[in-house]
Amino acid sequence: MTKSFKVRLNYDIIKEQGGEGMQLRYHMVTIEDLMPAGHFLRKLEAALDLSFVYEETAQMYSRKHGRPPIDPVVLVKYLLVGFLYGIPSERQIEQRIQTDVALRWYLGLDLLERVPDHSTISQLRRRKPGFRKVFRRLFEEVVRQCMERGLVSGRLAATDSTHVKASASRESEYLAEVPEEPGVYWERLDSYEEEGLEELACRTGRRRKKRTKQIKRDKRRTHKRVSSTDPEAGHMNRPGKPRGQHYLSHQTVDTDNGIIIGLTVTPGDVYDSAPYLEQIEHIHKNVIPLQAAAADAAYDFPLAHRVLEEHGIDFFVRPQPVHDRTAAELKRDAFSYDETQDVYLCPNGKHLKLHSLRRSASGLYWVYLADKQDCRSCPLRKKCLREKDKRGARKLEHSYFTPARQRHLARWDDADYQEALKMRQIWCEGTFAAQKWRHNLIRILRRGFEAAEDHCLLSAVVLNLKRMIRAAL
Ligand code: SF4
């Protein structure tokens, strides 16, 4: 530290057991003397250069007008110590700094210097939205430093999400009608649809039109639970998880040392798969090239297998349990696929041939159809077709991306596959547990998506800093 500390008179309060009163003793000490040599905050101060905060915030402060501002680095440190020591509110951070010499030392405040008021910090965060990018930059800066120290290799990146309670009660929820949006992978599916239609023409000799426009014209509406106090949060309803308004922190951890290398925040009603590919691609292109990725069953969606394969990233994922929702009595497993002839064989020994490529809002599917004549005279017809079937022929579908998924899942029994899943469990779940227990990842006191994102970023930053400093010991 380059700051010079004034010598202060300090006093020591001794309460005598005999009840004769209190003795005050004067000492000649500086805050520097009181700060233990091996304290974590000394190591943090030496390791983390926050000078970039001045660059990022320079245009937010006027040099001519207004009162002298709170030093933006002090503001960042103020919040950092809150997340580092699991202090949930800015009011409590202020109280802790007032009485904790180590925190004062870290913030560069002398023993009797006034601690910035918690309401001033809150106002600053609210009124200067430009300050927000500081937290994303801080996260990236810490990841960069971890990489410089060889703590991140990209050998295996494990992803998972955790819920963080929003500052909104279930009583504030109402049912809102909203337009049904195309899936997040809508644009991405465009090029695969083109490619698939070319392939369809080769395999069947039939040309089909793209369904893109047709689906985009859909005016379907859906209902969702929205909170009037925090409309940007989302109603989470997952088995085994608390119901209500939440945000989700989607994190990717490098499994060498548990450094969080990617973080996306979404409302609590978003599927885990939605931000996954963008996050993995961002890390792969901008942070560190990834060799392998691991994830639980929520990330086993066909497109992920294809995209990761194209990037040359091994994908170790727990397979999604198959739920056959066919209304007919004869389920899908009664049919077998013959790869050489590219047909499904039905229980009556007939073929279901490739017919078309179906595009939904979130996927692409090969459609196989039986011959109407075969089904009409079939003794199994009642078991095979739904009562209201208008087509008069059995239909089966499989994802356009099935081959990539099968290539990945074929390695399920391999030792490295199982090891990758074990590493995912250790690092993802262990990281969330540590963040929830010690670093404020249980609930968000502020409202709105941006506040939620800052909150999750700061929690990830302090965990990375702890792991970085511990690794340096
Ligand atoms: S109804 Fe059609 S698809 Fe089903 S078993 Fe009979 S012939 Fe096969």
Side-chain angles (χ1 to χ4, degrees), residues 335 346-348 350 352 370 374-375 378 380-381 384-385 394:
F335 296 75
C346 78
N348 194 30
K350 305 292 182 193
L352 278 73
D374 292 336
C375 294
C378 175
L380 299 170
R381 182 185 166 88
C384 193
L385 301 185
R394 178 70 187 249

Side-chain angles (χ1 to χ4, degrees), residues 194-467:
E194 301 266 7
E195 179 194 281
L197 289 173
E198 293 281 317
E199 195 183 325
L200 181 75
C202 292
R203 281 161 68 179
T204 64
R206 286 193 297 269
R207 292 218 161 258
R208 303 259 167 184
K209 278 188 191 160
K210 269 181 94 175
R211 292 198 63 230
T212 315
K213 281 187 186 153
Q214 188 184 331
I215 294 176
K216 270 193 171 167
R217 275 203 304 271
D218 272 2
K219 298 242 166 40
R220 277 177 291 187
R221 315 280 294 176
T222 185
H223 289 88
K224 64 186 272 189
R225 288 175 183 278
V226 178
S227 161
S228 54
T229 45
D230 188 352
E232 291 175 353
H235 178 88
M236 191 178 73
N237 184 10
R238 296 182 174 192
K241 300 279 166 68
R243 276 186 76 177
Q245 293 294 322
H246 287 82
Y247 287 95
L248 290 170
S249 182
H250 306 260
Q251 294 183 177
T252 295
V253 179
D254 185 278
T255 59
D256 274 14
N257 291 281
I259 303 298
I260 302 162
I261 52 177
L263 190 149
T264 312
V265 175
T266 66
D269 53 0
V270 168
Y271 289 118
D272 284 348
S273 55
Y276 182 59
L277 289 181
E278 201 179 321
Q279 187 178 100
I280 288 290
E281 284 176 332
H282 171 76
I283 296 168
H284 191 58
K285 287 178 192 158
N286 306 312
V287 182
I288 191 160
L290 298 176
Q291 293 170 31
D296 70 12
Y299 298 84
D300 177 26
F301 59 105
L303 179 63
H305 290 271
R306 173 71 182 263
V307 172
L308 265 63
E309 194 178 69
E310 284 171 357
H311 286 301
I313 302 171
D314 274 344
F315 193 28
F316 301 110
V317 65
R318 194 170 288 283
Q320 184 95 244
V322 180
H323 301 291
D324 192 341
R325 296 193 181 93
T326 317
E329 194 180 324
L330 280 179
K331 302 289 180 197
R332 193 189 173 86
D333 54 12
F335 296 75
S336 57
Y337 181 63
D338 181 345
E339 212 174 327
T340 49
Q341 295 187 70
D342 187 24
V343 291
Y344 276 95
L345 207 63
C346 78
N348 194 30
K350 305 292 182 193
H351 286 170
L352 278 73
K353 292 182 187 157
L354 180 61
H355 176 263
S356 54
L357 184 70
R358 182 175 76 83
R359 171 155 181 186
S360 74
S362 56
L364 268 183
Y365 304 90
W366 291 122
V367 179
Y368 289 77
L369 272 187
D371 191 315
K372 270 188 194 172
Q373 307 295 338
D374 292 336
C375 294
R376 193 174 297 147
S377 55
C378 175
L380 299 170
R381 182 185 166 88
K382 280 195 172 168
K383 289 184 177 180
C384 193
L385 301 185
R386 285 179 299 136
E387 251 178 55
K388 292 176 186 164
D389 194 292
K390 288 181 190 157
R391 204 182 298 110
R394 178 70 187 249
K395 182 178 90 168
L396 285 183
E397 290 185 355
H398 68 232
S399 169
Y400 178 71
F401 308 108
T402 295
R405 181 171 184 264
Q406 283 173 339
R407 281 192 287 277
H408 283 132
L409 294 182
R411 296 177 57 195
W412 168 255
D413 290 325
D414 293 359
D416 61 343
Y417 202 114
Q418 294 303 317
E419 179 63 19
L421 292 184
K422 203 165 97 188
M423 295 302 280
R424 183 212 71 80
Q425 190 170 18
I426 292 169
W427 282 114
C428 286
E429 291 174 18
T431 297
F432 287 141
Q435 286 178 273
K436 281 179 186 287
W437 188 34
R438 292 176 189 274
H439 305 302
N440 296 353
L441 205 63
I442 291 178
R443 63 176 304 153
I444 296 162
L445 297 179
R446 296 160 68 85
R447 288 180 183 145
F449 174 79
E450 293 181 347
E453 191 176 43
D454 292 349
H455 190 100
C456 296
L457 281 168
L458 282 165
S459 178
V461 163
V462 297
L463 193 79
N464 279 350
L465 284 169
K466 275 174 77 172
R467 288 179 173 165

